[in-house]
Structures are given as C-alpha cells and as structure tokens.
Amino acid sequence: MTSSADPISTVSQRLESFASDRRAEVADLGAEAADFVDRAVAAVAGGKRLRARFLAAGHAAAADAPVGAESPIGVDIAGVAASLELFHAAALVHDDLVDNSDTRRGRPSSHRALEADHRRSGWLGDADAFGRAAAILLGDLLIAWSDDILEDAIDGHPHASDVRRQYAMMRRDVTIGQYLDVAEEAAWATAPDDEHAARALRVASYKSARYSVQQPLLIGAALGGASPAQREALGEFGHAVGLAFQLRDDVLGVFGDSAITGKPSGDDLREGKRTVLIAYAREALDDTGRADMDAALGDRTLDDATIRHLQDVIDKSGAVERLEREIDRLAASADAALDGAPIGEAQIATLREIGRAAIRRSF
C-alpha cells in the first residue's frame, strides 16, 4: 500500500511514473517519436480525475475500506484508476477530432496541437490532414497504454477477471454512445419531435452516465469483491449521478464560462449537439422558432451575437428551468439508491458527497 494525503495525488503520481517509462522506451527512436509520446502525455494532464474518484469510492464501498483525505490507496487501485484516466484521455482526443473542436481544457485540442507541430517543423503536405491522422494514432496509443497499466495493476489480483469484464463493458458502452451522439446530429430530423428528448437521454446514458460515473464505481467495486446487492445499489446511484452530471454538462455547453469549461461559450451550439436541453427548448418553441434553431445549430461560423441570441431563446423557452428540475430529480434518485444499501455509513456519506460535487461541478 502507498499512502498519500490525497488519494488522487497518488493516481497522478502513478501516471507520471508511467509517462517517464514510456518516454524512456522511445528515447532512441528520434525526435518525432519523443514528441508524439509527449503529446500523448499532455493529453492526460489536467482534468478533475472524476473517474478515479468514483473508482476509489466504489472500492471503499465494497471493501468497507477507510475513506477520506487521509486514507491510503492501494497500488492496484491507483493503477486501475490511472488506466481509466488514460482511456478517458483517448476518448477526448477522438471526441475532439470527431467534433472538430479547437480547444480542450483551455488548450489546443490534440489534433490542433499536432497540426501546429507540422507547420512549426516545416514539414511537407497538408498540416490539417496530418493533425487529424496523427490524432487518431494518438488516441490509439493512449488506449494501448490504458490496457498496459490495467494489466500491470491487476496482475495476480483475486478479482482480475471481474475487473476486466467491467472495464470491457465500459469501453463498449462509451463507444456505442459516441456513435449514437454522432448519428443523432444527422438522424434527429427523421425522428418525431416528441422523441428527441428520449433519444438525447439515450446518448447521455451511454456516452457519459455509464462511462463517467457508473462503470468507474462498478470497476472499483469489482476490485473490492462487491456483493450483488452492493453492485445493484452502486449501479443505480452511479447511473443517476452520471445522467445528472451530463445534463449539467449540457447547460455548460451552451451557457458555460470558457474560463471554467476550457471551451468557447456556446460551443455545443456551433457543433450542433442535439442534447436534452435543445430537445426541451424545441418542444417549447413554435414551428418558426424550431425552424430557426434547427437552421443555426451546427453552423460553425456562428458569431458571438448569434450565440447570445440562441442562448436567450433557450433560456426564455423554459428549457433550462425544466432541465434543472430533472437534475434535482436525478440527484434525489441517487440519494435514494443508497438508502438501506449494505454499505458502510462512512462510505455512503463519501459517495453522496462526491456525487453532489460531480453534479455541481465543484471538484
């Protein structure tokens, strides 16, 4: 066991150690390979370590382990948590590429950074095409790294097979969710208006709720040898928190401060994201209002004035207020899922605390 005043710092230290080893592996392959690895390492930097937090909480709940800032975190837990962070970084690299996003966490997205590297180096060919191709490979490398660190962490662990099954389910779910998100931007027009919110919730469930909260909890629970009753409670809690987390993200994607979100305000509007918030707004608009919104969504040339106008339309439609009520309902459902669960009182208190922090984005 390793001890740290902050378990999340232990995960970050594990990632730093892993990155150092990967740099050493390519030391003799030239500057291009070294720079590529550095870009992969940079993709993991920053973030709230949300998945690592829930994984540690899931393990503590199942193993009846100590919780809190002074708790030790096992080498196996830190390794699996680090693996989740690497996989998350890979998903963000590919997601930014699919969405053609320019920024991530206040910095250029990976494909834009690689494109800039091409230009700065004076290389031949199309810099944009290079950046996109290199970003695909960058995400693939991060996925391979996540497998490496996972297998190292659970080697010889009594619940290794269970952890692998949960981890594989998470990867399948988020991949399907990513596709559903892409498909919805094209398929929404073929679906009745009253189905848009349900379709958006389906995307939110697979792309975010399961992947961001529910599965990390269950992977941690698998590490701790959770009982079926513990898994059921953690799964219900995690899915409700995860959905609320994503609905809050829908609001931030339209109204968020770029200094906090790391992306331009209104970015979801320019990307044409068919979120629950947009579905609620469309339900409240008349035919002309819906047509105007549909024409604007996904237009990457939208100026700030048009973004402000769309924000005002969405706000006045009552969609934000309706979404906030749904977030409150999900938060209450998450709390209720832990009532009477065969989990220690201290662990339940920690789960509720980090669940509320995730929903409020107060990490």
Side-chain angles (χ1 to χ4, degrees):
M1 300 284 284
T2 60
S3 180
S4 171
D6 177 8
I8 300 306
S9 294
T10 307
V11 176
S12 295
Q13 291 163 12
R14 181 71 180 88
L15 285 167
E16 289 169 7
S17 174
F18 183 83
S20 178
D21 291 343
R22 301 293 78 75
R23 287 188 174 104
E25 286 177 350
V26 299
D28 296 330
L29 297 183
E32 293 86 0
D35 290 345
F36 187 58
V37 167
D38 283 343
R39 284 294 176 203
V41 171
V44 189
K48 297 174 287 293
R49 302 291 185 237
L50 179 79
R51 290 150 192 83
R53 293 175 191 273
F54 280 108
L55 181 139
H59 177 268
D64 196 24
V67 294
E70 299 304 320
S71 303
I73 182 167
V75 173
D76 54 350
I77 305 170
V80 178
S83 175
L84 284 179
E85 293 299 325
L86 284 165
F87 181 75
H88 178 51
L92 294 181
V93 168
H94 285 161
D95 191 48
D96 286 342
L97 182 60
V98 169
D99 291 340
N100 202 29
S101 297
D102 294 328
T103 58
R104 169 66 62 180
R105 294 170 178 165
R107 303 188 301 268
S109 53
S110 292
H111 65 283
R112 293 303 185 203
L114 289 159
E115 175 186 333
D117 289 344
H118 180 284
R119 290 197 174 95
R120 191 179 306 112
S121 300
W123 291 349
L124 300 176
D126 186 298
D128 178 73
F130 173 86
R132 299 181 72 82
I136 293 172
L137 298 172
L138 187 72
D140 291 347
L141 178 64
L142 286 162
I143 291 172
W145 282 0
S146 73
D147 284 342
D148 292 342
I149 202 168
L150 174 70
E151 290 303 320
D152 183 59
I154 64 175
D155 183 34
H157 194 283
H159 305 299
S161 295
D162 194 8
V163 172
R164 286 192 190 96
R165 281 193 295 271
Q166 291 291 343
Y167 199 92
M169 184 180 297
M170 177 197 71
R171 288 175 54 161
R172 291 194 298 270
D173 282 353
V174 72
T175 301
I176 293 295
Q178 289 276 27
Y179 174 75
L180 289 174
D181 189 30
V182 171
E184 195 60 22
E185 292 178 29
W188 66 268
T190 65
D193 289 340
D194 60 3
E195 292 182 10
H196 286 198
R199 292 170 67 92
L201 277 170
R202 180 183 63 176
V203 174
S205 173
Y206 277 84
K207 184 181 177 183
S208 185
R210 299 172 191 234
Y211 160 63
S212 299
V213 180
Q214 186 186 46
Q215 284 297 340
L217 275 172
L218 293 176
I219 292 167
L223 273 171
S227 69
Q230 288 175 325
R231 291 170 193 254
E232 182 178 2
L234 289 170
E236 290 179 7
F237 168 80
H239 193 256
V241 170
L243 272 181
F245 172 81
Q246 181 55 47
L247 296 185
R248 175 70 62 213
D249 197 63
D250 291 352
V251 177
L252 292 173
V254 173
F255 297 97
D257 182 346
S258 60
I260 297 174
T261 65
K263 282 179 168 284
S265 180
D267 212 37
D268 277 6
L269 301 174
R270 292 188 178 94
E271 291 178 3
K273 293 293 183 184
R274 292 284 163 172
T275 63
V276 178
L277 179 64
I278 296 301
Y280 284 173
R282 291 182 79 260
E283 286 181 20
L285 296 174
D286 59 22
D287 290 344
T288 300
R290 278 195 296 273
D292 289 345
M293 179 171 287
D294 291 340
L297 286 175
D299 182 353
R300 295 187 178 275
T301 67
L302 292 179
D303 58 22
D304 291 343
T306 305
I307 290 292
R308 287 193 296 271
H309 169 70
L310 289 171
Q311 290 170 333
D312 187 56
V313 168
I314 292 168
D315 187 36
K316 289 180 177 177
S317 74
V320 177
E321 183 179 349
R322 183 180 172 187
L323 200 71
E324 290 292 348
R325 290 198 300 270
E326 180 63 12
I327 290 172
D328 289 343
R329 185 194 69 77
L330 287 165
S333 178
D335 277 345
L338 297 179
D339 289 342
I343 298 170
E345 290 183 7
Q347 288 78 12
I348 285 178
T350 296
L351 285 165
R352 284 176 168 156
E353 180 184 352
I354 64 172
R356 285 191 293 269
I359 294 170
R360 296 171 182 168
R361 298 302 180 91
S362 57
F363 282 131

